[in-house]
Amino acid sequence: MSKAPAAPPRAHHGRVCSVVVTHSAQVISVASHPKDCCLKLWQLGSHEFLEQIPLNKGRPGKPSCLLMRAFGALIAVCLDDGTLPVADLNSKSVVR
């Protein structure tokens, strides 16, 4: 008797609140769970996980994401603690 295939690991801890597809065929997702305050980058065609960019680095608490907007290589994310980090997809870091 063969075993059922294992379920793939979850991409996020909580519900996904925003998804953006870039011109370079990457999918960027962000969730609303406080333990998952980061952008996650995926390859569109293969669904391969590429990278994650933490959004609450150096700040106390664990805010959750509310909204995300992409402007070229910059991604602005509205967090529920009132901050608005801007991440650069080229450098894979929060720049503002």
Side-chain angles (χ1 to χ4, degrees):
M1 189 184 272
S2 64
K3 287 184 173 180
R10 293 182 59 112
H12 291 281
H13 292 294
R15 294 180 179 169
V16 172
C17 64
S18 193
V19 174
V20 171
V21 179
T22 67
H23 294 295
S24 59
Q26 289 182 347
V27 177
I28 303 159
S29 61
V30 69
S32 60
H33 196 280
K35 289 185 179 179
D36 200 8
C37 191
C38 62
L39 295 173
K40 293 196 177 185
L41 285 70
W42 312 86
Q43 191 61 40
L44 181 62
S46 66
H47 304 156
E48 174 188 3
F49 175 74
L50 299 173
E51 183 118 21
Q52 79 178 23
I53 303 171
L55 298 172
N56 63 343
K57 196 173 188 178
R59 287 196 303 271
K62 297 188 183 243
S64 62
C65 177
L66 299 174
L67 184 64
M68 175 173 62
R69 292 286 186 249
F71 304 101
L74 298 178
I75 302 285
V77 183
C78 177
L79 303 179
D80 68 355
D81 67 352
T83 58
L84 186 71
V86 176
D88 181 6
L89 296 178
N90 295 328
S91 68
K92 306 288 193 275
S93 64
V94 174
V95 293
R96 293 183 184 106

